[in-house]
């Protein structure tokens, strides 16, 4: 009943078939008893061309100002127009150019990140076109979807966007035109059930949590866990798939708890961070306000209870001592969460990089190895962790560069803050070479049961290139805060040290 709908009519002729579609949609919306208003672009008096360098600084005509007010009033935007030359008419394009400007539709936070200021509005597009839908998709590449839906509406936070195409309109029969009018009416009256489908509602609820989890960092943990399990399984031949998956689920959820907790504790530095990316600066769910601190705290508590149950179950199912398993999991988890948790707050004291390196290499490998029945005193899992540890630490060190100024402002004493960018990069380069060098040394040890073979030379080339990037960065007088390329190469370098043992041991 309280849904606000704005229909934006973009055909330059009011006697067109598009107008009939708009009328039917409005009639359906009125029957659905929602509040709907109509905006005919042809009646608006405004300059469609952007005549100044910054479109938000151009004089805003009264009609355009009123149109903006209507957009802000609306919960759901409905665009009705013909598709000409694969895209919107000039009338609609001019309106979008003048109306959807910075400061109203979006706001630049940094060069590759924007605040979507029209969220959480949704949209419906009703369009006519001569090109058959399949031809438009397969041969033309759906230009309307790319330009209007993806590059404009979704960019400004309007999502989901649905599209209804009356196509091909040319030479269509009166019966077909009447059927499309009925479909337009049906779209309007369907508003009595709301705009979002159950699936849309689920996605809107789950998407912030998926973002908070930061899934991009979990493959490394999975493969480290897998090589730990395979290191012991190789002596028995019994993989026990259900136990393998259950133990990994526990590890996954423990990592989620740590990631959530880090977001909570690092809120102040993340809020100040102006150089964040997908690799650094946290998940941004708290900073952007898509999740609240109370929600994150509640999720952590629920996960802790669930993980306690899983820990008991996994420890009981393991062939090793129940007490040993519980103790090992507890020690490793406490170490991981102490990255930001009081009283240690290791990342604030210069030990964060070492902590992450240890928990994601030695600790993860030993977790799986011991649960499958191995001993903490066995040398093989410890040896497996050496190259991985040496590869992880430089990546985590360099991830402190984008956070440098924000961390310094809140007193977070990362190695980047303590050592400075130049020394940090040079030490990272040495560790990168040490990682691949340790592989060559390990292959000659009797206790090390893996022969990496020729792929190790690819690792060497990767390491040399990464070290070159790091030294080049260290030698720059003006060092950029955003080093996405270096971090991406460093993170991909880590994967060699889990993937090669994974395929050798499985």
């Amino acid at each position: 009943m309280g849904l606000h709908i704005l229909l934006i009519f973009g055909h330059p002729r009011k006697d067109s078939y598009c107008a009939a579609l708009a009328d039917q949609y409005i009639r359906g919306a009125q029957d659905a008893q929602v509040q709907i208003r109509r905006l005919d672009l042809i009646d608006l008096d405004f300059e469609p061309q952007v005549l100044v360098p910054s479109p938000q600084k151009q004089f805003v005509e009264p009609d355009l100002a009123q149109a903006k007010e209507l957009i802000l009033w609306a919960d759901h935007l409905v665009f009705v127009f013909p598709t000409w030359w694969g895209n919107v008419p000039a009338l609609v394009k001019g309106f979008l150019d003048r109306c959807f400007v910075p400061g109203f539709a979006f706001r630049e936070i940094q060069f590759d990140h924007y605040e979507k200021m029209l969220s959480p509005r949704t949209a419906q597009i009703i369009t006519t076109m001569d090109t058959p839908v399949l031809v438009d998709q397969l041969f033309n590449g759906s230009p309307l979807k790319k330009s209007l839906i993806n590059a404009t509406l979704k960019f400004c936070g309007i999502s989901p966007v649905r599209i209804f195409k009356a196509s091909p309109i040319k030479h269509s029969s009166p019966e077909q035109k009447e059927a499309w009018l009925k479909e337009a009416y049906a779209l309007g009256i369907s508003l009595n059930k709301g705009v979002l489908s159950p699936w849309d509602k689920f996605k809107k609820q789950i998407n912030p949590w998926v973002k908070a989890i930061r899934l991009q960092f979990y493959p490394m943990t999975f493969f480290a866990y897998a090589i730990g399990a395979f290191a012991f399984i190789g002596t028995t031949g019994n993989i026990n798939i259900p136990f393998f998956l259950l133990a990994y689920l526990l590890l996954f959820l423990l990592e989620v708890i740590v990631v959530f907790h880090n977001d909570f504790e690092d809120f102040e530095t993340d809020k100040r961070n102006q150089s964040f990316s997908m690799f650094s600066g946290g998940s941004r769910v708290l900073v952007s306000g898509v999740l609240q601190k109370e929600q994150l705290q509640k999720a952590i508590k629920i996960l802790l209870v669930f993980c306690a149950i899983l820990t008991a179950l996994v420890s009981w199912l393991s062939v090793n001592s129940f007490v040993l398993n519980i103790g090992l999991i507890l020690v490793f988890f406490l170490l991981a969460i102490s990255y930001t948790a009081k009283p240690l707050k290791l990342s604030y004291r210069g030990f964060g990089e070492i902590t992450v390196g240890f928990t994601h290499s030695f600790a993860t490998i030993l977790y799986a190895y011991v649960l499958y029945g191995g001993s903490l005193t066995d040398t093989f899992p410890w040896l497996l962790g050496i190259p991985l540890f040496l590869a992880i630490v430089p990546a985590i060190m360099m991830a402190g560069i984008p956070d440098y100024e924000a961390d310094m402002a809140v007193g977070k004493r990362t190695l980047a803050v303590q050592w400075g960018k130049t020394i940090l990069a040079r030490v990272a380069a040495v560790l990168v070479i040490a990682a691949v060098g340790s592989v060559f040394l390990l292959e000659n040890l009797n206790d090390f049961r893996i022969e990496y073979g020729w792929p190790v030379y690819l690792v060497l080339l990767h390491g040399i290139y990464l070290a070159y990037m790091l030294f080049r960065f260290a030698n720059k007088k003006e060092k950029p805060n955003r080093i996405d390329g270096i971090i991406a190469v460093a993170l991909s370098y880590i994967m060699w040290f889990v993937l090669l043992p994974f395929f050798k041991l499985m």
Side-chain angles (χ1 to χ4, degrees), residues 17-85:
Y17 182 69
C18 275
L21 290 171
D23 290 341
Q24 287 302 308
Y25 184 91
I26 291 173
R27 189 167 71 86
Q30 290 171 340
D31 289 347
Q33 298 184 343
V34 299
Q35 299 183 56
I36 185 166
R37 299 183 185 180
R38 176 169 174 162
L39 185 66
D40 289 75
L41 298 186
I42 194 63
D43 292 338
L44 303 187
D45 182 14
F46 71 98
E47 168 58 60
Q49 306 291 337
V50 177
L51 303 176
V52 297
S54 301
Q56 71 270 29
K57 294 182 179 179
Q58 187 164 328
F59 171 72
V60 179
E61 298 86 346
D63 283 356
L64 205 60
Q66 185 179 14
K68 288 184 177 182
E69 290 177 4
L70 285 173
I71 290 173
L72 295 178
W73 166 84
D75 303 306
H76 185 61
L77 304 178
V78 182
F79 293 86
V80 183
F81 56 80
T83 296
W84 289 341
W85 293 108

Side-chain angles (χ1 to χ4, degrees), residues 80-96:
V80 183
F81 56 80
T83 296
W84 289 341
W85 293 108
N87 217 316
V88 298
L91 179 62
V92 177
K93 184 64 169 67
F95 175 75
L96 294 172

Side-chain angles (χ1 to χ4, degrees), residues 437-465:
S438 67
V439 172
F440 286 102
L441 294 175
L442 288 171
E443 284 188 310
N444 295 317
L445 294 179
N446 293 330
D447 291 334
F448 197 70
R449 305 192 302 265
I450 299 178
E451 292 183 5
Y452 287 99
W454 64 265
V456 75
Y457 294 101
L458 297 178
V459 185
L460 179 60
L461 291 175
H462 193 150
I464 292 172
Y465 178 66

Side-chain angles (χ1 to χ4, degrees), residues 28-189:
Q30 290 171 340
D31 289 347
Q33 298 184 343
V34 299
Q35 299 183 56
I36 185 166
R37 299 183 185 180
R38 176 169 174 162
L39 185 66
D40 289 75
L41 298 186
I42 194 63
D43 292 338
L44 303 187
D45 182 14
F46 71 98
E47 168 58 60
Q49 306 291 337
V50 177
L51 303 176
V52 297
S54 301
Q56 71 270 29
K57 294 182 179 179
Q58 187 164 328
F59 171 72
V60 179
E61 298 86 346
D63 283 356
L64 205 60
Q66 185 179 14
K68 288 184 177 182
E69 290 177 4
L70 285 173
I71 290 173
L72 295 178
W73 166 84
D75 303 306
H76 185 61
L77 304 178
V78 182
F79 293 86
V80 183
F81 56 80
T83 296
W84 289 341
W85 293 108
N87 217 316
V88 298
L91 179 62
V92 177
K93 184 64 169 67
F95 175 75
L96 294 172
D97 288 347
R98 290 295 321 283
C99 191
F100 283 50
V101 295
F104 172 77
F106 64 94
R107 181 173 69 88
E108 184 176 357
I109 297 175
Q110 58 184 35
F111 73 91
D112 63 345
H113 190 83
Y114 299 85
E115 179 185 353
K116 302 174 184 293
M117 298 181 69
L118 296 183
S119 176
R121 289 167 182 81
T122 55
Q124 171 74 58
I125 296 171
I126 298 175
T127 186
T128 59
M129 64 181 189
D130 290 335
T131 306
V133 173
L134 195 59
V135 173
D136 182 64
Q137 291 174 345
L138 295 180
F139 295 96
N140 296 345
S142 298
L144 186 64
K145 179 179 179 181
K146 292 178 180 178
S147 62
L148 178 59
I149 296 179
N150 294 340
T152 306
L153 299 180
K154 288 187 177 181
F155 179 83
C156 298
I158 301 172
S159 179
V161 181
R162 298 189 179 92
I163 185 167
F164 167 65
K165 298 177 180 179
S167 168
I169 191 71
K170 190 176 183 180
H171 305 309
S172 59
S173 66
E175 293 79 13
Q176 179 60 76
K177 287 187 172 68
E178 184 63 28
W180 284 327
L181 292 175
K182 290 180 179 178
E183 287 189 60
Y185 174 83
L187 288 173
I189 202 169

Side-chain angles (χ1 to χ4, degrees), residues 247-427:
Y248 177 68
L249 175 62
L250 172 59
L251 181 65
F252 178 88
L253 294 178
L254 290 174
E255 188 169 3
V256 170
I257 293 173
V258 172
V259 170
F260 283 2
H261 187 270
N262 291 345
D263 253 13
F264 182 82
E265 292 293 338
D266 277 343
F267 175 75
E268 288 302 323
T269 180
D270 290 343
K271 185 171 66 174
R272 288 172 169 79
N273 198 327
Q274 296 299 311
S275 303
F276 59 88
S277 68
M278 66 178 295
F279 305 120
S280 61
S283 69
R284 317 296 297 175
V285 293
L286 293 181
V287 176
S288 63
V290 295
L291 289 178
Q292 302 301 315
K293 289 184 177 181
E294 294 76 14
Q295 291 176 285
L296 215 55
Q297 285 178 309
K298 184 178 179 180
I300 291 172
K301 291 176 181 177
I302 293 172
L303 287 172
L304 281 170
V305 172
F306 189 63
C307 284
I309 297 170
L310 265 182
T311 298
L313 179 59
V314 168
S315 299
W316 178 67
L317 291 173
S318 170
V319 297
N320 237 325
S321 164
F322 179 83
V323 176
L324 172 64
N325 295 331
I326 291 283
L328 186 71
I329 293 170
L330 184 60
V331 168
F332 286 163
F333 172 69
L334 290 177
L335 180 61
I337 204 163
S338 292
Y339 179 79
T340 52
K342 298 175 182 178
L344 296 180
K345 292 180 75 75
L346 295 168
S347 63
Y348 285 74
R349 303 172 187 270
F351 299 104
E353 294 83 353
I354 301 299
T355 302
V356 174
F358 180 83
T359 55
H360 285 71
S361 58
F362 296 112
T364 303
I365 292 170
L366 286 166
Y367 165 83
Y369 188 81
V370 172
L371 283 180
Y372 263 91
S375 171
L376 280 172
T377 60
D378 291 346
T379 58
F380 185 49
W382 289 97
L383 294 175
L384 271 176
I386 292 173
L388 183 56
F389 172 80
L390 292 172
I392 291 173
V393 171
I396 303 304
M397 289 167 62
M398 295 307 295
I401 296 293
D403 307 339
Y404 177 82
E405 293 177 358
D407 287 344
M408 183 179 291
V410 301
K412 186 175 181 181
R413 303 283 293 169
T414 62
L415 292 181
V417 171
Q418 293 189 52
W419 294 352
K421 298 177 182 180
T422 300
I423 294 176
L424 185 86
R426 288 173 179 168
V427 173

Side-chain angles (χ1 to χ4, degrees), residues 166-237:
S167 168
I169 191 71
K170 190 176 183 180
H171 305 309
S172 59
S173 66
E175 293 79 13
Q176 179 60 76
K177 287 187 172 68
E178 184 63 28
W180 284 327
L181 292 175
K182 290 180 179 178
E183 287 189 60
Y185 174 83
L187 288 173
I189 202 169
S190 69
L191 294 170
N192 59 4
K193 300 177 182 178
V195 174
L196 299 178
S197 67
W199 175 244
D200 291 328
K201 293 177 182 177
F202 174 76
K203 285 195 298 183
K204 277 190 173 289
Q205 290 178 342
I206 203 69
N207 282 345
W209 293 102
V210 173
K211 185 178 180 181
I213 290 172
R214 305 185 79 187
L215 289 171
Q216 63 267 33
F217 296 115
Y218 291 76
M220 177 182 67
T221 310
F222 170 78
F223 285 108
Y225 162 80
I227 63 177
F230 292 161
F232 185 80
I233 291 168
T235 64
T236 64

